[in-house]
């Protein structure tokens, strides 16, 4: 097997891992701050892809406009869902919100089927990002390199936002003790709404980036949701660094297993999750408090 082919598959694994990273970051931020296991996350990812399809094909705006507008649209939808539905169940056991987001997922998915139909829609790679780049040892598609750069920048930006900004400090304080932070004058309710919108926006952005390399279709969120949960569990519930590392590892496992053992590609990621949980029950970087 040629080394160039293996390098190509390695980069493909990184690109697939980047999609998982963006999705799992949104999921883990919401769980880490709100304690909500958001089953509607996959549907929001699908909404991001359909928003990009609508804006580019109906409004004739370019892909860069989609990258800005679509995450904002999905974030706004997420904030509305959190404010008027999900927040009403915070004081109840976690499974109430789990069931609620499970229902929201099916409502969004069926609504998209009614509006756009059950078949997928084509989404071409933007003209600006078509072609390949010479890396010195191989040519690689420009658009896939673009995904790598965007994901790296966003991951760093999200970490800096949570760890180095005043709003990030408020979010961490609210996560540790929401009642105490509220008593000190912090509007925790709106902070939580903002965080849910951030998670939804990240899933919408993942949908926009995935649209040119996958079919835009109603079930795309459902297909990737389970694997995203695997990434979050392996990385450690609520851990940003863990989600990044686990997303890239799962991307590599899936890509190389498809090359060397296609029938077992999905099985291997669950076997890897089982191995991680047996040796480290909290995942790579999970916090003890989530398991108490």
């Amino acid at each position: 097997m040629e080394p160039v082919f293996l390098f190509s598959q390695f980069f493909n694994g990184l690109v697939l891992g980047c999609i998982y990273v963006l999705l799992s970051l949104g999921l883990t931020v919401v769980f880490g701050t709100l304690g909500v296991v958001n089953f509607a996350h996959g549907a929001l990812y699908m909404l991001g892809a359909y928003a990009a399809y609508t804006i580019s094909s109906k409004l004739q705006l370019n892909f860069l406009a989609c990258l800005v507008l679509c995450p904002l649209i999905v974030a706004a939808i997420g904030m509305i869902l959190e404010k008027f539905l999900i927040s009403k169940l915070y004081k109840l056991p976690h499974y109430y919100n789990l069931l609620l987001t499970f229902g929201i997922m099916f409502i969004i998915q069926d609504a998209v089927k009614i509006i756009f139909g059950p078949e997928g829609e084509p989404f071409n790679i933007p003209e600006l990002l078509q072609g390949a780049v010479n890396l010195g040892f191989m040519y690689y598609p420009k658009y896939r390199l673009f995904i790598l750069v965007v994901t790296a920048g966003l991951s760093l930006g999200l970490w800096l936002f949570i760890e180095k900004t005043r709003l990030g400090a408020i979010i961490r304080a609210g996560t540790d003790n929401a009642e105490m932070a509220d008593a000190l004058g912090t509007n925790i309710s709106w902070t939580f709404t903002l965080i849910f919108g951030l998670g939804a926006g990240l899933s919408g952005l993942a949908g926009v980036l995935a649209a040119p390399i996958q079919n835009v279709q109603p079930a795309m969120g459902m297909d990737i949701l389970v694997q995203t949960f695997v990434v979050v569990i392996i990385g450690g519930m609520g851990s940003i660094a863990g989600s990044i590392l686990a997303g890239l590892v799962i991307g590599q496992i899936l890509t190389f297993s498809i090359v060397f053992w296609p029938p077992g590609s999905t099985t291997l990621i669950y076997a890897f999750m089982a191995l991680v949980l047996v040796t480290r029950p909290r995942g790579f970087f999970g916090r003890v408090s989530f398991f108490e």
Side-chain angles (χ1 to χ4, degrees):
M1 192 169 290
E2 294 292 333
V4 172
F5 175 75
L6 294 177
F7 276 118
S8 173
Q9 293 305 313
F10 174 75
F11 274 79
N12 287 340
L14 287 181
V15 172
L16 178 60
C18 285
I19 300 298
Y20 286 128
V21 167
L22 288 176
L23 269 171
S24 61
L25 281 178
L27 201 59
T28 204
V29 165
V30 169
F31 180 82
T33 52
L34 311 182
V36 174
V37 180
N38 182 16
F39 267 88
H41 205 66
L44 296 172
Y45 162 77
M46 178 264 294
L47 276 183
Y50 269 97
Y53 166 75
T54 303
I55 288 175
S56 63
S57 64
K58 307 299 181 186
L59 302 182
Q60 302 297 318
L61 296 179
N62 62 37
F63 186 72
L64 293 179
C66 294
L67 277 178
V68 175
L69 293 176
C70 297
L72 293 177
I73 293 170
V74 178
I77 293 172
M79 292 173 74
I80 292 171
L81 290 174
E82 193 277 344
K83 194 66 183 176
F84 295 102
L85 293 175
I86 295 170
S87 65
K88 308 301 180 186
L89 304 181
Y90 282 157
K91 294 182 179 179
L92 298 176
H94 288 318
Y95 59 79
Y96 279 85
N97 258 327
L98 188 151
L99 293 173
L100 174 63
T101 56
F102 199 68
I104 292 172
M105 175 188 69
F106 282 109
I107 291 172
I108 293 175
Q109 187 170 298
D110 285 350
V112 168
K113 284 182 182 176
I114 292 171
I115 296 172
F116 295 95
E119 303 297 330
E121 302 287 352
F123 197 105
N124 296 325
I125 293 175
E127 188 175 348
L128 181 66
L129 298 171
Q130 290 179 357
V133 176
N134 185 358
L135 298 178
F137 54 94
M138 68 174 187
Y139 286 89
Y140 197 72
K142 193 185 297 182
Y143 182 72
R144 289 175 179 259
L145 290 175
F146 175 74
I147 292 178
L148 292 177
V149 173
V150 170
T151 305
L154 274 175
S155 299
L156 177 61
L158 183 62
W159 181 81
L160 291 173
F161 170 68
I162 297 292
E163 298 293 334
K164 303 296 181 184
T165 65
R166 183 175 181 275
L167 183 55
I170 292 173
I171 291 169
R172 284 184 277 118
T175 303
D176 292 336
N177 193 327
E179 292 182 358
M180 179 64 73
D182 205 24
L184 293 174
T186 301
N187 191 334
I188 286 299
S189 174
W190 275 107
T191 303
F192 283 178
T193 303
L194 180 65
I195 285 300
F196 199 91
L198 174 64
L202 285 171
S203 67
L205 178 62
V208 178
L209 291 172
I213 56 176
Q214 299 178 354
N215 286 327
V216 178
Q217 42 103 8
M220 62 186 293
M222 177 74 82
D223 294 341
I224 202 170
L225 181 64
V226 176
Q227 293 166 349
T228 305
F229 272 114
V230 170
V231 170
V232 173
I233 291 170
I234 292 174
M237 302 291 276
S239 169
I240 292 175
S243 290
I244 294 171
L245 178 60
L248 297 178
V249 170
I250 290 299
Q252 294 298 335
I253 291 176
L254 273 172
T255 302
F256 278 99
S257 61
I258 288 172
V259 173
F260 293 105
W261 190 34
S265 58
T266 304
T267 305
L268 281 178
I269 65 171
Y270 296 116
F272 181 70
M273 180 181 70
L275 178 64
V276 170
L277 292 181
V278 167
T279 56
R280 191 173 175 79
R282 300 197 304 270
F284 289 157
F285 304 116
R287 286 191 286 175
V288 176
S289 58
F290 287 123
F291 298 88
E292 291 177 342

